[in-house]
Amino acid sequence: MSRTAGGTRRPGTTVAAAERGATRIADRVVAKTAAQAAREALGPLPEDAAAPHATVLVRQDSARVHVHLELGYPTDIGARCKAVRCHVAERVSALTGMEVPEVTVQVERLHLLPVPGVAQGRTQ
């Protein structure tokens, strides 16, 4: 019910859904969502690795995502990147309602992880 100028209510006045407007999600919110999804997909990172960050290009109801991250090495880089791509696309789509046709992953740096039982550094 809505109020008229005199303060009384008019029954049955509703606005159609198409006429109410639209919700717009800011690009930086989508980028933060994508970065958080990448962190979820990667799990624990090497202690000196930077957290993943993302940039997005949003057009209407579609978001193209570019994720920058650092990984520990040795690891299966391809499998880790695939896991990030899939998880980011799924989470961004679920949380924002946008289609995510493209997620690119750029590995900025690899961090050498200590291997148990292998001596580190130079040996003589």
Side-chain angles (χ1 to χ4, degrees):
M1 299 190 135
S2 63
R3 292 189 182 268
T4 61
T8 60
R9 293 179 173 246
R10 288 186 289 155
T13 57
T14 59
V15 179
E19 296 175 12
R20 285 186 229 151
T23 301
R24 184 181 183 296
I25 301 172
D27 293 6
R28 66 187 174 115
V29 174
V30 178
K32 286 182 179 184
T33 303
Q36 178 60 38
R39 280 191 285 279
E40 292 169 3
L42 288 173
L45 294 172
E47 56 187 61
D48 57 339
H53 68 279
T55 56
V56 298
L57 175 61
V58 176
R59 296 228 172 125
Q60 295 176 352
D61 292 332
S62 176
R64 296 187 186 279
V65 181
H66 191 78
V67 178
H68 304 264
L69 50 86
E70 297 181 8
L71 295 174
Y73 187 81
T75 189
D76 185 350
I77 297 170
R80 300 282 307 268
C81 291
K82 181 180 179 182
V84 169
R85 276 194 306 274
C86 293
H87 192 70
V88 168
E90 177 185 306
R91 294 295 289 160
V92 170
S93 180
L95 293 173
T96 65
M98 294 180 180
E99 179 184 341
V100 184
E102 179 182 340
V103 177
T104 58
V105 177
Q106 182 171 342
V107 178
E108 298 285 332
R109 185 174 172 197
L110 296 173
H111 297 268
L112 187 59
L113 298 176
V115 180
V118 175
Q120 299 294 316
R122 299 181 76 180
T123 59
Q124 293 183 351

